[in-house]
Amino acid sequence: MKRLCCAGSLALCSFAPALSAAAPLGATIRVARDERAADCPDAPELTEKVERILQRALSAPAPSDALEVEVDFTNAPGEYSANVRSLGAKPGERHLTDHGKSCAALGEAVSVAIALLLDKELAPRNSGDNDETGAGTARAGTNTAPSASNQATPNKKNRDRAAQSSSSDEDHARAFEFRAAVEGGSAAGLISAATPLLSEELGLRARGFVASAGFNAALPGSRDFREGSVRTTLLFGDARACYLWGARFSLGPCAGFALGRLHGTGVGYPSASEQDLTWSAASAGALAEVTVWGRVFFGASALVWLPTHRSSFSVQNLGTAWQSSTFAGSVALRLGFRIW
């Protein structure tokens, strides 16, 4: 009987760390949502997500050991956001955002952030109990069970996997953007000394790399020649590739190629004359962008155009009335929208 009692004592000591590790955590989660963020998780749902990550239940803490987490979900057009505030011994605040069509990804990210916060805040409070339990196990002698730190290892791995999964989903959502933009500016040397240049484009941004295709129009410019004048118009499409550094504010180099139609019309001459020429050019320059509100971004571009050949218009037997420049330049402001 005495041996049986000793064996029972050893078994009880062996399971003490596991029972301590499974004890509820003293913490409370409170949630507030605006009308447009109704699809974000409420307090019970968020608590359940955190408990699933930690593999431990949450319970209301004693007033002397209170640890509360307040989450405020909001939804502006095109962007969900959450303010996470810790009211524990080390109060703090964290702001999370997501540009997804639902609050699902943001809810997962918030649950992971809270789980990591609770793990960091509550671990020191439970360490004393774990140490005492471990000491008792060591004194018991031969039959030692896995320590509390070993029991916590699966929990840590699960939290790390959850954090990596949430971060991966959020990064994937932001890594690829399909977007549209319009530009307006001025070009010098394309068809005249200075002429308005209008552009519209569709593009894809994959992290820092931006690929786009657009349609451009250099509005008509005129040049006097003899008794009349030549009016020139340029319409072209271009493909452009840029690499931008930065998140909210981005800046980087660009290169591209353009192909279009150069149209010339003689005005004021005895007989009307028109001519169309194929125009092509390479481009290089820089692009800057900044997010101003949700999915809307604003930017500016500066490009140098290098035509592959020089074009010219002649009027009857009067000679060459217009000839293109060996290079041209353009500057423009842009306004864009991230479609998804």
Side-chain angles (χ1 to χ4, degrees):
M1 177 64 70
K2 187 173 182 180
R3 292 182 179 179
L4 183 59
C5 291
C6 293
S9 300
L10 289 174
L12 181 60
C13 292
S14 299
F15 283 100
L19 295 174
S20 176
L25 294 177
T28 302
I29 299 176
R30 307 181 190 278
V31 174
R33 304 176 296 183
D34 65 15
E35 296 179 355
R36 290 172 298 195
D39 60 328
C40 293
D42 56 13
E45 185 179 356
L46 194 58
T47 300
E48 181 181 356
K49 289 178 180 290
V50 173
E51 289 176 340
R52 187 165 58 248
I53 295 173
L54 292 174
Q55 294 187 349
R56 296 181 69 177
L58 302 184
S59 64
S64 60
D65 195 32
L67 178 59
E68 297 183 2
V69 179
E70 293 184 352
V71 183
D72 186 11
F73 287 106
T74 58
N75 179 16
E79 182 180 81
Y80 283 89
S81 62
N83 281 324
V84 182
R85 292 182 295 274
S86 169
L87 305 180
K90 297 180 180 179
E93 184 172 353
R94 184 176 181 183
H95 184 70
L96 303 175
T97 61
D98 183 71
H99 298 288
K101 295 182 179 180
S102 71
C103 194
L106 181 62
E108 293 297 331
V110 169
S111 63
V112 172
I114 295 175
L116 294 175
L117 170 66
L118 295 180
D119 181 59
K120 179 180 179 181
E121 287 288 332
L122 298 176
R125 305 181 186 183
N126 297 330
S127 61
D129 297 337
N130 292 340
D131 290 343
E132 293 176 2
T133 304
T137 304
R139 287 192 299 270
T142 57
N143 294 331
T144 58
S147 65
S149 61
N150 292 334
Q151 293 288 338
T153 301
N155 294 344
K156 183 177 185 300
K157 291 181 179 179
N158 290 332
R159 290 193 298 271
D160 291 343
R161 283 196 295 266
Q164 291 172 0
S165 176
S166 176
S167 300
S168 177
D169 292 341
E170 185 175 358
D171 290 344
H172 185 271
R174 298 185 179 184
F176 297 94
E177 298 176 359
F178 183 60
R179 46 204 234 144
V182 293
E183 281 191 352
S186 178
L190 286 180
I191 57 176
S192 63
T195 186
L197 179 66
L198 302 178
S199 307
E200 58 182 17
E201 70 174 37
L202 293 174
L204 177 69
R205 178 169 181 170
R207 298 190 184 277
F209 183 77
V210 179
S212 62
F215 176 78
N216 308 265
L219 300 186
S222 297
R223 179 188 177 189
D224 295 333
F225 180 69
R226 300 292 178 90
E227 65 271 22
S229 62
V230 175
R231 185 174 61 187
T232 309
T233 305
L234 177 60
L235 302 176
F236 63 95
D238 75 319
R240 190 185 308 176
C242 306
Y243 190 85
L244 304 181
W245 287 277
R248 183 176 178 84
F249 175 78
S250 304
L251 175 66
C254 296
F257 185 79
L259 180 66
R261 185 194 71 169
L262 189 62
H263 180 78
T265 302
V267 180
Y269 299 103
S271 60
S273 61
E274 294 185 5
Q275 189 176 4
D276 290 321
L277 300 175
T278 299
W279 179 88
S280 59
S283 65
L287 174 65
E289 292 181 350
V290 60
T291 301
V292 293
W293 181 63
R295 296 172 179 259
V296 180
F297 59 90
F298 181 76
S301 65
L303 297 174
V304 175
W305 300 88
L306 302 172
T308 57
H309 61 276
R310 300 192 68 179
S311 304
S312 62
F313 292 124
S314 299
V315 179
Q316 299 168 355
N317 296 323
L318 299 179
T320 301
W322 178 90
Q323 188 174 35
S324 64
S325 302
T326 55
F327 68 93
S330 66
V331 291
L333 298 178
R334 60 180 6 224
L335 182 65
F337 181 79
R338 291 192 299 269
I339 299 174
W340 57 261

